[in-house]
Amino acid sequence: QGKFTLLRDSRTDGSFLVHHFLSFYLRAGCKVCFVALLQSFSHYNIVAQKLGVSLAAAKERGQLVFLEGLKSCLDLLFGEEEQPGQPSPLQFLSTSDLRALFDFVRVSLTPADGDSWKGPVLLVDDLSVLLSLGAAPVAVLDFIHYCRVSVCCQLKGNIVVLVHSNEDSEDEENELVVNSLCHHSDLILWAEGLATGFCKDVHGQIKIIKRLSLRQAAEQDLVQIYQYKIQDRNVTFFARGLSAAVL
């Protein structure tokens, strides 16, 4: 409880980690607010069904609050009428801050009378899209800071955020956000493409960084590196050099 997990990907697609955490927390009986900025609801629902979870059923019983960012952007940009008294969470497209998005998260995860969910979880896929839509890096970092205070500290919940990064990129704003989030994360799962290129038996490597230094200044961060292969319904992990291509 109270943990901030950063999912980071470079030269590969780390969305399999998002699908894992989404199905994991729903199966665990947690209340989940999913800010989905990258794909449609039907996409996430199809993948979740392969993992044995129904997002539609979770929405119906009030366990999942789903913000479909693509649809919300279109509604806002092309002048669809908003429901009275309910401003769009993506108001930052016409204003300078992410307060409306934070309010959406806070209201979604604040326990109501009679709720029996185990704990609140905020899941964001992916944070880099906010920068692409025009949000300033400072506004994005402020949004995450307030979410951590509200979800992790006050509600004793968890936050999982995916960001894309490329160390060779000229996108300085995105790298600023990524590096700042790395410093504040309790756990970093960093998926990277292979430096040697494509391999049918190894799809990439994942670096697991447990931020022990965040809790105790004298401690060294614990780093573990595995390679992985994505299959239809799961992901296989193995030590470097132990893939089927080598053995």
Side-chain angles (χ1 to χ4, degrees), residues 202-216:
V202 185
H203 290 156
Q205 76 172 20
I206 185 165
K207 188 182 294 183
I208 304 170
I209 307 172
K210 297 179 180 177
R211 299 291 316 290
L212 302 180
S213 60
L214 199 63
R215 303 296 178 190
Q216 296 179 329

Side-chain angles (χ1 to χ4, degrees), residues 60-81:
E60 276 186 28
R61 62 177 177 263
Q63 183 184 9
L64 173 65
V65 179
F66 189 93
L67 173 62
E68 194 165 358
L70 294 173
K71 184 175 182 299
S72 298
C73 284
L74 290 174
D75 291 346
L76 198 63
L77 291 172
F78 293 102
E80 295 289 332
E81 291 185 10

Side-chain angles (χ1 to χ4, degrees), residues 51-122:
L51 301 176
V53 175
S54 171
L55 299 191
K59 276 183 72 175
E60 276 186 28
R61 62 177 177 263
Q63 183 184 9
L64 173 65
V65 179
F66 189 93
L67 173 62
E68 194 165 358
L70 294 173
K71 184 175 182 299
S72 298
C73 284
L74 290 174
D75 291 346
L76 198 63
L77 291 172
F78 293 102
E80 295 289 332
E81 291 185 10
E82 298 175 8
Q83 296 180 15
Q86 294 186 355
S88 168
L90 301 184
Q91 278 294 329
F92 72 89
L93 290 171
S94 55
T95 61
S96 59
D97 59 48
L98 295 169
R99 184 174 302 178
L101 185 58
F102 166 70
D103 288 338
F104 171 82
V105 171
R106 180 178 53 80
V107 171
S108 299
L109 292 179
T110 300
D113 294 336
D115 274 357
S116 58
W117 309 119
K118 290 185 179 177
V121 175
L122 169 62

Side-chain angles (χ1 to χ4, degrees), residues 22 26 31-34 41 55-56 58-59 62-66:
L22 178 59
L26 288 176
K31 176 71 176 284
V32 178
C33 175
F34 188 14
F41 176 78
L55 299 191
K59 276 183 72 175
Q63 183 184 9
L64 173 65
V65 179
F66 189 93

Side-chain angles (χ1 to χ4, degrees), residues 182-196:
C182 284
H183 286 299
H184 294 97
S185 304
D186 297 286
L187 175 68
I188 302 171
L189 302 181
W190 188 353
E192 298 177 282
L194 296 175
T196 52

